[in-house]
Each structure stands twice: as C-alpha cells, then as structure tokens.
Amino acid sequence: MRLPFALLLIICVSSYGQKPIFDDIFSGQNIGDRQSETRLLVDYNWETWDKSPSEVELGYFSFGVNVHLMKDFPFGEKSNFSFGVGVGLSSHSVHSNSGIMIQTDSKTKEEFTALVPYGSNYTYYKNKLATNYVDVPIEFRFKTKGEKSFRFSVGGKAGVLVNGHTKVRDEHGKRKNYTLN
C-alpha cells in the first residue's frame, strides 16, 4: 500500500506543472465571460464504520484515496452556477479484528455478510479489507465572479466495485480472499 500511495503522490505533484493529459477532450471552452474548467480532485480519507458491532475494533491505519477528473459545464454566459461530472477511482483499506463471513439466517434461509470478531485464541499480525471502485462523481457548483471568488459545491458519486478482497497474515502465512465481488 505504501508504494502505490507514494507513486500516486509523486505523479500528482509532478503533473501539476505539465500540459493537461486530456487537453483535447477536456479543453476549456469559453462561454461568454466564463470558462469551463476541468479539475483533478484527490481526496485522502481515514476509514471508519458507523454502527459497527461493539466487539469489532477498527485499526488506526485504515486509509483510502479517491482520484476524480471532473469537467465543469456552466449553465449560461452570466450564470454563477454550473454542473460538474467526471470519472474516478477510489481505493479503501480497512484494518480490523474481524473477519467477513457469509452466514445463513436460520428462519429465512437467506445468506448475508457479517463481521465476526476473531476469538482471543487466534493470533494474527495483519487483517484488512481492501476495495477498489470506478466512480462517476456529479456536482452542482456555485462560484462568484471576481479576483477573490467564493466556491461552493454539493454532489455525490456512484460507483461499481471492481475489486474487493481480504488479506490476513498470521502464523500460517499470508492469505488473500478474492470472493467478495
């Protein structure tokens, strides 16, 4: 995880002064006195779960990163409002003391996924859940005009899981389980 994170950071920092990669596709278009913009958004986040079982302890070093390329579409020549849409990748890594188990409800016979904490007699060194998504972010944006502009945006994203796996390292070695998709 450290090497891909370091490479991503180097690419983002070194590409800042370069010619835009998607210059032909996402070239800025003048619409009146406004110019449509393309933005590269990079989010670093700390992962946590809301309403997880009380026995489940999340590791402190549970981080994620989101990288999105978004195109701005102003609503008109003089409008302060615009619409942004793009494509992106998200990667999340959650460390915990629990395993993801498929269980069956005794009454309905339906299968469901549950977090089951490892027992105190099980010794592990690393346990993590890793997920990767392809995302489509959408934003509604407001930007004032002038030299010192104010920006505000509200939006969301939808994504498709392209890779999900668990990784456990214990006294028996390393194991990865790719049957989460």
Side-chain angles (χ1 to χ4, degrees):
M1 177 67 185
R2 290 182 183 150
L3 182 61
F5 177 74
L7 288 174
L8 177 67
L9 186 62
I10 291 169
I11 290 169
C12 290
V13 171
S14 66
S15 67
Y16 179 73
Q18 306 298 319
K19 181 180 176 189
I21 298 170
F22 298 100
D23 207 23
D24 297 333
I25 299 170
F26 291 107
S27 62
Q29 302 168 353
N30 287 324
I31 300 176
D33 58 348
R34 296 234 10 226
Q35 181 174 0
S36 128
E37 299 173 347
T38 303
R39 294 189 182 115
L40 176 66
L41 306 173
V42 180
D43 301 324
Y44 301 102
N45 47 59
W46 177 64
E47 307 290 347
T48 185
W49 289 334
D50 190 27
K51 299 179 183 176
S52 63
S54 60
E55 305 86 28
V56 174
E57 297 175 7
L58 296 180
Y60 183 74
F61 295 104
S62 297
F63 296 102
V65 64
N66 306 319
V67 179
H68 298 106
L69 186 64
M70 295 187 70
K71 176 75 172 163
D72 195 35
F73 297 97
F75 285 142
E77 290 184 24
K78 306 236 182 241
S79 177
N80 290 344
F81 296 95
S82 65
F83 176 75
V85 66
V87 65
L89 299 172
S90 298
S91 180
H92 306 279
S93 177
V94 180
H95 297 261
S96 73
N97 68 337
S98 60
I100 296 178
M101 309 290 177
I102 307 249
Q103 296 183 340
T104 305
D105 189 312
S106 60
K107 294 179 184 175
T108 63
K109 304 296 183 202
E110 291 184 16
E111 289 187 342
F112 63 94
T113 305
L115 286 172
V116 179
Y118 294 129
S120 59
N121 58 350
Y122 178 66
T123 304
Y124 65 94
Y125 308 108
K126 182 184 245 184
N127 177 39
K128 85 173 182 179
L129 166 67
T131 57
N132 298 305
Y133 292 87
V134 173
D135 300 321
V136 176
I138 298 171
E139 289 184 350
F140 180 70
R141 299 174 174 170
F142 172 79
K143 178 183 174 186
T144 60
K145 298 174 185 170
E147 190 173 313
K148 293 187 177 184
S149 63
F150 171 77
R151 296 178 185 207
F152 180 77
S153 62
V154 175
K157 66 179 178 178
V160 175
L161 180 67
V162 292
N163 179 11
H165 67 274
T166 59
K167 183 177 180 181
V168 176
R169 188 168 55 110
D170 58 15
E171 65 265 3
H172 303 294
K174 288 183 184 178
R175 292 184 310 282
K176 289 186 180 181
N177 179 3
Y178 286 95
T179 58
L180 300 177
N181 296 2

